Amino acid sequence: MPGPVRVQIAGVASWEEALFAASEGADALGFPLRLPTGDPDLSEEAVRAIVAKLPVFVDAVAITYVETAQEAIDLCRFLGVTVLQLHGEFPGAETRRIRAALPYLRIVRAVPVTGPEALDEARRLEREADALILDTYDPRTGRRGATGLVHDWNVSREIARAVRVPVILAGGLRPENVGQAIETVRPWAVDVHTGVEEPDGTRSLAKIREFIRRAKAAGAVEP
């Protein structure tokens, strides 16, 4: 039976925010760590403490740019997360090493939607992933995610139709456009980071609540 779209709130910055998002219906909470530039919102010790207290039906996601299986394995074991979201280049052989060491862990691979060529990248990565997250690439900064920019949803729709694993739509989503994004792409889940922040970068609980409400109301998707 079709069900409501799932929601990931990424960039969680405190236990209070995590608890609020979970109580409002978030299905997953994402914690960016070991990024190529900039400092994380929380230390790994702080993330570990939050993950240990999360409600049992809320997934904790490590969002990272690590480059080796061992680094990913050590990070996930320390944090106690159930999902690993990999950005950047990561060899398929290394993914298989992670699965052998942590068979319970679900792996999400990021696909930067630069244009139609993203479909080939998605088809390549789906062989080693439990889900794909379609995010925006900003050529001005080189950032792949957390850009606040929307990409071409028509390309994302084609990817969602073509691959055999669940698709998570990200990139410039906010309460005002998440409904249209879901109707256009029909993703399994949506992800928001900068779209629930105030202009000064602080997190808005009101925007988190409204994002989740609008995403859940946007229509059912296939499981």
Side-chain angles (χ1 to χ4, degrees):
M1 291 288 291
V5 70
R6 286 78 170 170
V7 176
Q8 172 168 276
I9 304 297
V12 173
S14 68
W15 164 244
E16 291 74 19
E17 181 189 333
L19 184 61
F20 178 84
S23 68
E24 291 295 319
D27 302 280
L29 303 178
F31 301 92
L33 294 164
R34 302 192 187 181
L35 310 176
T37 58
D39 295 324
D41 299 305
L42 294 169
S43 69
E44 293 176 15
E45 290 76 13
V47 171
R48 181 183 187 181
I50 291 173
V51 170
K53 296 187 291 183
L54 286 179
V56 68
F57 290 126
V58 177
D59 281 316
V61 184
I63 303 171
T64 186
Y65 284 76
V66 297
E67 297 180 344
T68 69
Q70 194 58 56
E71 189 176 3
I73 292 165
D74 292 343
L75 178 64
C76 291
R77 281 177 171 161
F78 178 80
L79 299 176
V81 297
T82 53
V83 184
L84 172 64
Q85 183 175 311
L86 288 169
H87 290 256
E89 298 298 327
F90 199 87
E94 293 291 275
T95 305
R96 292 188 286 275
R97 285 186 58 201
I98 297 172
R99 289 199 185 281
L102 305 175
Y104 63 86
L105 190 72
R106 284 160 292 167
I107 298 174
V108 179
R109 293 300 306 264
V111 178
V113 183
T114 53
E117 65 277 2
L119 178 56
D120 292 335
E121 178 72 354
R123 284 173 167 155
R124 181 180 71 84
L125 290 177
E126 72 169 320
R127 296 192 295 269
E128 59 191 59
D130 298 295
L132 301 175
I133 184 164
L134 310 182
D135 215 333
T136 301
Y137 171 71
D138 185 355
R140 297 171 300 175
T141 63
R143 296 190 69 172
R144 298 168 178 246
T147 64
L149 302 175
V150 174
H151 57 260
D152 187 344
W153 290 339
N154 293 316
V155 175
S156 290
R157 182 178 63 235
E158 292 304 312
I159 293 173
R161 289 174 174 174
V163 299
R164 295 166 293 177
V165 296
V167 163
I168 305 160
L169 181 65
L173 299 184
R174 56 189 189 277
E176 296 79 11
N177 69 4
V178 68
Q180 181 184 357
I182 292 170
E183 290 179 6
T184 301
V185 178
R186 309 305 297 170
W188 175 77
V190 290
D191 166 280
V192 65
H193 188 157
T194 60
V196 292
E197 293 177 351
E198 299 291 0
D200 64 358
T202 58
R203 308 282 285 182
S204 168
L205 297 184
K207 290 182 178 180
I208 290 173
R209 173 188 286 124
E210 190 64 7
F211 185 91
I212 295 170
R213 185 188 72 79
R214 295 195 184 191
K216 296 291 185 180
V221 295
E222 293 297 330

